[in-house]
Amino acid sequence: MPDIFDINFGTFATIVLGLGILAQWLAWRFKLPSILLLLFFGFISGQVFGVNIDTFLPGDSGESIILSLVGICVAIILFEGGMTLKFSELKISAAPVLRLCTFGVAISFALTTAFGIYILGWNWRVAAILGSILVVTGPTVIAPLLRHIKPSRKMSSIVKWEGIVVDPIGAIMAVLAFQAALAGDVETAQVTILYSLGITLLVGVVLAFLLAKLIEFILSKHLIPDFLHSVFLLSVVAIAFTLSNAIQKEAGLLTVTVLGIALANQKSFSVKHVLEFKETLRTLIISILFIVLSGRVHISSLQEALIPGLSILVFLIVIVRPASIFIANFGSKQLNTNEKTFLAALAPRGIVAAAVTAIFALELEHAAHDLPGFPAEIVDQAKLMVPTVFIVIVGTVTFYGLLASPLANKLGIATRNPRGILFAGADGWIRKVAKALLDDGHEVLLLDTNYSNVAAASMEGIPAKRMNILSEYSIEELDFAGLGQLVAGTHNDEVNSLAANEFMHIFESADIWQVAPLDDNNHHTTAVASHIRGRIIFEGRPNHKKLSRLSADGMEVKATTLSEQFTYQDFLMTYPGAILLFTDSPDKGLLPAFDEMKEPGDECTLYAFIHPTPEN
C-alpha cells in the first residue's frame, strides 16, 4: 500500500514513541497485555497508513541495520532481566526452574520440530531452527503479566527465572540448529555443534564473570560517579554483547544475561538505582521495538503464513506447553497440580522470538542461495518464518494474557485485584486496625522489629513477622500474594518515608501510604519534602502519637456498612469524633481513607476509630 503521509524520520520516530506510550497506558488502564496493543498499533500504522521504518533505511543494508539495533536492544532487555534474578529466590524454586530450562526446553524443541517436519512438511533445517526459537517465553511479556496477575512468590520466581534464562538458551539452540543445517553430514554436524556449544558457553560465562568482577571493583571503589553508573553499565552491555557475538555468533545474549545475574547477586554495591533506570529503558525499548517490527510485517506474508502459523499456535498451546510442564516435572514434589496447571497456561512469546527469527530467516535465505546442496524449498519456507512467529506472538500473548489472571485466581495461585495491607509497624493501634480488617476477610501482614509487638499480634491471630521494613531481606523473602498496599505506620517518620520509597517498585505509588509525620503542619522549609513520602493516610491526618494515645484511651475499630437507611451523614451524627480509617466498596475494594476522598456511598463498609459507648 503506498504511503499516505509524506513524513521524515523525525516525524516517524515521534509517531512510534507516541503510539508506544499510548499502548502502554491503555494496557494499564484497561488491564490488557501491553504487547498485544503494541503489535496492533505497529501493524496498523505500517500496513494501513504506510508508516514503516523501511522507508528511511538504505536498500539492501536496511535489514542488517534493523537487526543490529534490535540485537543490542534485546541485549539490554535481557541484562535488565538478569539483574532482577536473585539466587535467594531459588531456595523455593531451584528444582522446577532447572527442570523447565533443561527437560522442558528439550521436550518443547522436539515436539515443535517434529510438528514442523511431519505435519507442516517443512525441511528439517527450517523446522529445527524454528523449534529452537519457539522454546523461549520472554521477560518482555512475562514481566507485565506478573505485575497484572500478582501470583504467589514461588510461582512468580519460577516464571521469571524461566522467562529470562530460556531466552539465551533458545538463541543458542537456534545457532546450533543453523550450523547443523550448514553441515554436510551427521558426523560433521555433531562436531560443529559440540564445538560451537563449548565456545558459546566459554565466551558467555567467562566473559560475563570477568566483566562482572571488573565492574564490581570499579563501582565499589567509587571510580565512577553515581550519575554515570547507568550509562556506564549500558555501554558495557553493548560492548559485551558485540564482543561476544564477534567471537561466537549469538553468544552475546548469554553473556549479558549472566552478567546481569552476577551483578544482581554481588554485595559490594547497590544496583537498585541502576535497575530503576533499566526498567524505564526497557519499557521504552519494548514500546518502540514491537511497533517497529510489527509495522514491517506485510498483510500478504501473513496470509501465506496463516495456516502454518495458526497450526503451530494451537499445537504450542494445547500440546507442547502442557507436555513440557507435566513431563519435565513428573514425580516432582516441589509443584502441586494447580501450580503445574498454571505454568502450563503461561508461555507467551515476545521480542526475543521475533528478533532471533528475523536474523535466522535472513541467514537461511542467504545460505540457500550461496551454498550448493540446499533444497530449493528452504527459501520459500524461510520467508514464512517471520510472519509465522508474528502470528504465534500475537496468539500466545492474547491467549495467555487473557487466561492467566482468571486461571491463577481460580487455582488459588493469586488473588483477584489484591487489596490486602502490608503494615510497617505492629503497635497497639495497628493491631486493632489489622484485626478488624482480618476478621472481615482482608489480607494483612504486619512487620516490626519489636519482639513484643510481633508476639502480641501473633497471640491475636494476626499474621506478623519480626523484620525490618527497610531490610533487603524483607523485599526478597516476603510473599506479596494478596497484598496490594503499604501502610507505613511506625513511630519513626523517617523510617515511614524510606519505606514508602523502598516499596514504590512493589506497589503503585497510589497504593503507598504513611501516617502523618510530626512535621505535617510545618512550613515547607522545615518539613520533609512531600515527594519522598507516601500518601498521608486516614481522615484528619492523625499522626502516630495521636493514634497511639486514642488507642490507649480505649477507642476501638468498628466496621459499619452504609445503606439508604443509614447514610454517611448518619454515620457522622451517630459517631461524633470518629476517625475514618478504611472504606470497602463493591467496585473499588479496600481503600485507606484520606482527606480528599469522595463521600462513601451505599453498600460501602467503613472502618473507623470510635469512642466506646455502652450501645457499641
Side-chain angles (χ1 to χ4, degrees), residues 508-549:
E508 295 287 342
S509 59
D511 296 320
I512 302 290
W513 304 87
Q514 72 178 87
V515 295
L518 294 176
D519 63 6
D520 189 35
N521 295 320
N522 287 11
H523 190 269
H524 69 273
T525 58
T526 58
V528 174
S530 59
H531 71 272
I532 61 173
R533 289 176 173 166
R535 303 173 71 186
I536 303 302
I537 196 173
F538 303 147
E539 192 176 43
R541 302 170 75 93
N543 57 38
H544 181 279
K545 185 176 181 179
K546 180 177 181 179
L547 290 167
S548 296
R549 185 181 69 250

Side-chain angles (χ1 to χ4, degrees), residues 531-603:
H531 71 272
I532 61 173
R533 289 176 173 166
R535 303 173 71 186
I536 303 302
I537 196 173
F538 303 147
E539 192 176 43
R541 302 170 75 93
N543 57 38
H544 181 279
K545 185 176 181 179
K546 180 177 181 179
L547 290 167
S548 296
R549 185 181 69 250
L550 292 175
S551 177
D553 290 343
M555 288 191 78
E556 299 293 337
V557 179
K558 180 178 177 60
T560 305
T561 301
L562 303 181
S563 64
E564 292 182 3
Q565 292 73 34
F566 190 83
T567 65
Y568 182 60
Q569 297 302 319
D570 295 327
F571 170 83
L572 295 178
M573 294 177 62
T574 305
Y575 304 109
I579 297 177
L580 188 59
L581 304 172
F582 289 90
T583 64
D584 183 19
S585 60
D587 55 340
K588 295 184 178 180
L590 185 66
L591 283 174
F594 58 102
D595 279 350
E596 297 81 15
M597 63 180 290
K598 294 181 180 179
E599 181 175 310
D602 295 345
E603 300 184 13

Side-chain angles (χ1 to χ4, degrees), residues 24 27 32-35 138-150 282-283 286:
Q24 295 280 3
L32 296 171
S34 59
I35 306 298
T140 57
V141 192
I142 291 296
L145 281 179
L146 289 180
R147 283 199 301 269
H148 176 57
I149 300 169
K150 295 183 179 178
R282 179 194 63 187
T283 302
I286 291 172

